[in-house]
Amino acid sequence: MDYEILFQPDEKKIKVRPQTNVLDASRRAGVRIPTRCGGKAGCLMCKILVQGEEKEHCSPPEPKEVRKLGTSMIEQGYRLACQTKIMNHLKVVIPEDPLKAAIRKQLEAARNRDTDDFI
């Protein structure tokens, strides 16, 4: 039986076989999740967010992943896409790159200041 995985915010779906890791599923779906280590849990770039009951729909974190992310991040729902295996239908959030988020916030603030000048 195949499982459906939904990638947010892209809203792309794909069906995959059980035990497929999220990074491989994202590549097949055409969803970009950055990585440098080739899926060996070395670079920590492939962080994803699995929320609520969805946490039960993927493999539990291995000790290697817990060491890399820390228990606090794992409790918040963060996982490494290269280490997270799909065990049921799953919804995954790909967090915005921190640098892009900072630039976006600055642009929004500048846009808001410009708008305020015209009111």
Side-chain angles (χ1 to χ4, degrees), residues 5-118:
I5 180 166
L6 169 65
F7 293 96
Q8 292 185 321
D10 293 2
E11 297 295 325
K12 287 192 176 178
K13 292 180 185 178
I14 190 169
K15 288 191 176 191
V16 297
R17 294 180 185 264
Q19 299 294 319
T20 301
N21 73 44
V22 173
L23 185 60
D24 288 342
S26 73
R27 289 174 176 159
R28 287 188 217 153
V31 173
R32 185 179 179 283
I33 296 179
T35 183
R36 279 195 199 134
C37 70
K40 296 181 180 21
C43 68
L44 302 178
M45 291 180 67
C46 68
K47 283 193 271 310
I48 56 171
L49 189 56
V50 180
Q51 299 172 316
E53 294 176 11
E54 299 287 321
K55 291 179 188 179
E56 305 298 320
H57 296 190
C58 53
S59 61
E62 297 284 331
K64 177 181 185 179
E65 185 178 8
V66 174
R67 275 194 311 277
K68 293 288 185 174
L69 288 176
T71 51
S72 174
M73 285 192 82
I74 295 218
E75 287 171 357
Q76 293 174 48
Y78 285 95
R79 297 291 307 270
L80 295 177
C82 67
Q83 301 298 302
T84 305
K85 293 181 182 158
I86 300 162
M87 313 278 286
N88 204 331
H89 302 294
L90 184 64
K91 180 171 54 174
V92 170
V93 177
I94 302 169
E96 186 175 24
D97 175 84
L99 179 59
K100 287 181 182 178
I103 292 169
R104 182 183 47 75
K105 286 178 186 175
Q106 287 180 344
L107 290 171
E108 286 174 358
R111 219 175 288 125
N112 289 338
R113 283 192 305 271
D114 291 345
T115 305
D116 292 343
D117 290 343
F118 291 107

